[in-house]
Amino acid sequence: MKSFAITPASEADIPELIDLLGVLFSIEQDFTPDTDKQRRGLAALVASSAGHIAIARDEDARAVGMATAQLVISTAEGAPSAWIEDVVVREDWRGHGLGRALLDAVLDWARNRGAVRAQLLADLDNAPALAFYDRLDWQTTRLGARRLMLDR
């Protein structure tokens, strides 16, 4: 088993996190890498008390995976809920428990802040990711994601 450590990300980690998002966005059809946008989003998450980024590093301190979580208030639950996003593991690290460990890290963070539910979106064409979430007992729902880009 490969050795890794998971810690909360800091502003200094943003360049490596942008690289990891490039890996993820090359897989997901709905998103495209944009360094400036990713830098702004990651900086906002690092600075937010309602957001968290877990970063995984190998024994050489190279960033090999990440996951993010953000708290929202669920009226259905009457309590905070966690939106999990940006779960990505470098290809040479897949199958070594890193994805599960990253999810555990962001879910623990959310639980410690009162979240009672977590949800995420997964690209419907990413069979390995869907199988991964199935193995971890994430349930499918009858809800479909929609989006609307807002003018500034």
Side-chain angles (χ1 to χ4, degrees):
M1 186 63 101
K2 292 183 173 187
S3 175
F4 60 86
I6 296 177
T7 60
S10 70
E11 193 170 332
D13 296 316
I14 290 176
E16 289 181 290
L17 296 170
I18 290 170
D19 288 343
L20 287 167
L21 289 176
V23 171
L24 179 63
F25 296 163
S26 71
I27 298 168
E28 293 183 339
Q29 294 182 41
D30 285 345
F31 303 103
T32 358
D34 182 319
T35 301
D36 291 334
K37 288 180 181 179
Q38 273 81 74
R39 180 176 281 103
R40 285 194 311 269
L42 291 163
L45 267 175
V46 166
S48 173
S49 62
H52 180 68
I53 305 172
I55 185 170
R57 294 190 174 282
D58 66 11
E59 56 276 354
D60 297 322
R62 183 178 79 123
V64 293
M66 68 178 284
T68 67
Q70 298 178 59
L71 296 180
V72 297
I73 303 302
S74 168
T75 55
E77 303 298 341
S81 176
W83 275 104
I84 308 302
E85 295 188 317
D86 306 321
V87 179
V88 59
V89 173
R90 291 200 183 275
E91 190 170 358
D92 56 328
W93 273 82
R94 294 178 191 155
H96 295 279
L98 187 55
R100 177 187 292 262
L102 284 163
L103 278 173
D104 287 346
V106 294
L107 293 173
D108 286 345
W109 173 87
R111 275 188 206 95
N112 290 334
R113 282 151 186 78
V116 297
R117 183 185 73 211
Q119 61 259 341
L120 56 78
L121 301 174
D123 188 311
L124 296 176
D125 292 324
N126 188 344
L130 297 173
F132 169 71
Y133 295 122
D134 284 344
R135 283 192 306 277
L136 297 180
D137 294 327
W138 284 76
Q139 301 168 359
T140 57
T141 71
R142 300 281 304 144
L143 301 174
R146 304 287 176 134
R147 73 175 177 192
L148 175 68
M149 301 306 289
L150 303 177
D151 295 332
R152 290 189 195 200

